[in-house]
Amino acid sequence: ADAYVEQLRTLATSSEDTQLQSAALNAVAEGPSREAGDLLEAALNSWDARVRANALEALDRREAGEGVFLRFTRDPNPRVRANVARALIHRGRSEGQQVLEQMLSGDEAERISGLWAFSKTHPEGFSRTAQMLAEQDPSQRVRQKAAELLATA
């Protein structure tokens, strides 16, 4: 992989294809260098939510400080906030549960992303919410995701 590091860095910082940029960012993030961390931090300023979400997920794997995640608790994108909730819950921060609570009472995309974050963290007290969503949510997609989550929990 070392032979491709420069090409990956170039793609991670300058590709106009955000899917490609996001994938390259994840590949670069696997490296231990400080430069990889700097690239991820820079990607947090991307206009594209996928790039921001993947950068946050990679920073979480690299055990970045909680301040990085606190900046994104109000990001307009549910995928970004789901990664933030997961990272903050793993760090024992109440803000993570607050983000998750907001997501599970938001619109359909928010609830689905919130269920994903819930499935990765299983914070105490949220099982009842997932059960309620599985039984009563107006969206078939949300009911199905919640039921799948509860079946595998």
Side-chain angles (χ1 to χ4, degrees), residues 108 111-112 115 137 139-146:
E108 181 184 67
R111 295 190 310 275
I112 288 173
L115 284 168
D137 197 89
S139 164
Q140 173 61 30
R141 286 181 62 211
V142 172
R143 287 193 308 272
Q144 182 177 353
K145 291 284 183 192

Side-chain angles (χ1 to χ4, degrees), residues 24-125:
L25 209 64
N26 274 336
V28 168
E30 296 305 315
S33 75
R34 171 83 175 122
E35 187 178 346
D38 292 343
L39 282 172
L40 291 169
E41 297 243 2
L44 295 175
N45 296 317
S46 175
W47 62 269
D48 186 75
R50 177 185 299 111
V51 172
R52 290 192 312 278
N54 284 359
L56 286 162
E57 193 168 2
L59 285 163
D60 187 22
R61 285 193 310 270
R62 292 173 68 92
E63 300 181 14
E66 57 199 33
V68 170
F69 304 101
L70 289 169
R71 292 178 26 214
F72 291 90
T73 58
R74 297 190 193 286
D75 192 275
N77 184 272
R79 182 175 173 186
V80 170
R81 283 196 319 285
N83 282 336
V84 166
R86 183 175 94 164
L88 291 173
I89 289 168
H90 281 152
R91 286 162 177 76
R93 293 295 301 246
S94 63
E95 293 91 336
Q97 289 198 8
Q98 291 167 2
V99 170
L100 187 54
E101 285 173 12
Q102 292 165 355
M103 293 183 77
L104 292 174
S105 63
D107 65 23
E108 181 184 67
E110 297 268 335
R111 295 190 310 275
I112 288 173
S113 291
L115 284 168
W116 175 85
F118 173 81
S119 75
K120 301 297 183 188
T121 58
H122 296 286
E124 196 172 316

Side-chain angles (χ1 to χ4, degrees), residues 3-20:
Y4 301 104
V5 170
E6 271 316 305
Q7 292 93 333
L8 287 170
R9 283 187 185 130
T10 300
L11 289 172
T13 57
S14 61
S15 176
E16 292 188 22
D17 178 340
T18 55
Q19 282 185 307
L20 184 59

